[in-house]
Amino acid sequence: MRLPGFRTVLRALLVLAAVAALTGAGVAAASPPEPKAAAPLAAPAAVMALLDARTAAGMPAGLADYGIDGEVVDVRLVGDPSPEVTALLAGIDPALLRVATGAGVPHHQDLRGGQRITGGTTRCTLGFSAGAGAQDWIVTAGHCTRESDEWLDDRGQLIGDGARTAGGGVDVGAVPVTSDSAALPEVASVPVRGTVPAPIGSAVCLYGSTSGKTCGTVTARNRTVNFDGQQQRGMVVASICTAQGDSGGPYITADGQAQGVHSGAGDGCTAYFTPIDQALSSLGLTLRTA
């Protein structure tokens, strides 16, 4: 009499036997083998299970990814097999593997000043990377963070949620980095070195997600500005042309001194930004520097 679930049990035993054969453990067959046509389906699955078990505690250096492709497991390496990769593949029948080199290094999206960020329907610019203890934050404009708690990077991936906005008429906000993205102390390719204020007449550049890199000079400091009836004090003025979407963008000097966070524009090529020290102190954050 045939027992219920006989074929299901038989398939499970065959997969276990395949894993044991790959590692040299030698699992004795508990029942007659399946027809040969089913064997190629079990073998790649057994290899995949073995690799997943071996990499559960950590992925070896040089391994990009692996997965079942037809009747083999496709293994992609960044370069030549490292000793860790060789150990990972030890004992596996080479006929069940396809190993290729030259794969790119997988990485999470890095966050740098000047990138486009979006919260809901609001588009702004990432200013600087900052921190409070071990927690990383990205700084942007306060009129941006008031619109959304959750923010995405320029590839549509989550940066984090729980954005906060400074009070007291200071137009800055910050988003905690709750994803695996790395918040780098850089503005585009410029490492952030410090916060030495640029004197009036000095050159400074804004990196906006709409305008890109635009440069000019500092023309005034400590200005009180009227933004839609709201008073914003202590602002810096620069002769730089800006556009919608540049809000929150970083101002920085050529030698990496952070200057401030873009807030808005006036007539012609007049830009207003919140000084970086005021921005950070209003949020209780510390600038991340290279």
Side-chain angles (χ1 to χ4, degrees):
M1 185 175 84
R2 177 168 297 187
L3 296 174
F6 173 78
R7 296 183 67 84
T8 300
V9 172
L10 179 56
R11 289 194 184 94
L13 289 172
L14 283 172
V15 171
L16 288 174
V19 172
L22 291 169
T23 58
V27 176
S31 56
E34 285 279 342
K36 289 185 177 181
L41 299 178
V47 173
M48 193 72 177
L50 177 61
L51 293 179
D52 285 344
R54 288 181 173 180
T55 59
M59 299 286 275
L63 174 65
D65 58 42
Y66 59 84
I68 295 174
D69 185 3
E71 297 183 0
V72 299
V73 173
D74 180 52
V75 180
R76 300 196 315 142
L77 307 179
V78 175
D80 293 334
S82 65
E84 294 83 1
V85 169
T86 301
L88 172 68
L89 303 180
I92 300 176
D93 184 352
L96 298 176
L97 295 171
R98 181 172 65 237
V99 180
T101 59
V105 179
H107 63 280
H108 293 293
Q109 173 75 348
D110 292 332
L111 301 172
R112 292 179 174 86
Q115 290 181 340
R116 181 182 74 250
I117 57 174
T118 55
T121 59
T122 301
R123 172 187 166 181
C124 290
T125 301
L126 192 161
F128 295 96
S129 297
Q135 175 64 58
D136 285 332
W137 294 75
I138 60 164
V139 178
T140 187
H143 67 267
C144 296
T145 53
R146 280 196 296 269
E147 298 299 320
S148 177
D149 286 333
E150 181 178 279
W151 286 81
L152 309 178
D153 64 21
D154 54 7
R155 297 167 72 180
Q157 302 298 311
L158 177 70
I159 296 172
D161 54 26
R164 68 189 194 197
T165 305
V170 180
D171 186 31
V172 292
V175 180
V177 181
T178 57
S179 67
D180 291 329
S181 298
L184 303 181
E186 299 175 4
V187 170
S189 60
V190 180
V192 178
R193 302 293 187 190
T195 60
V196 177
I200 293 175
S202 299
V204 66
C205 294
L206 165 67
Y207 288 78
S209 62
T210 301
S211 300
K213 178 183 178 182
T214 53
C215 301
T217 59
V218 176
T219 59
R221 285 188 169 275
N222 197 27
R223 302 288 294 186
T224 299
V225 183
N226 176 9
F227 281 108
D228 297 322
Q230 183 182 28
Q231 179 195 79
Q232 289 185 215
R233 301 168 61 185
M235 304 204 81
V236 183
V237 188
S239 59
I240 292 178
C241 296
T242 64
Q244 189 74 21
D246 290 341
S247 293
Y251 288 80
I252 193 168
T253 60
D255 60 353
Q257 297 301 314
Q259 298 300 305
V261 178
H262 183 65
S263 187
D267 290 339
C269 291
T270 300
Y272 297 102
F273 64 89
T274 303
I276 188 63
D277 288 338
Q278 181 186 23
L280 294 170
S281 63
S282 67
L283 295 166
L285 299 176
T286 302
L287 186 70
R288 300 292 198 209
T289 56

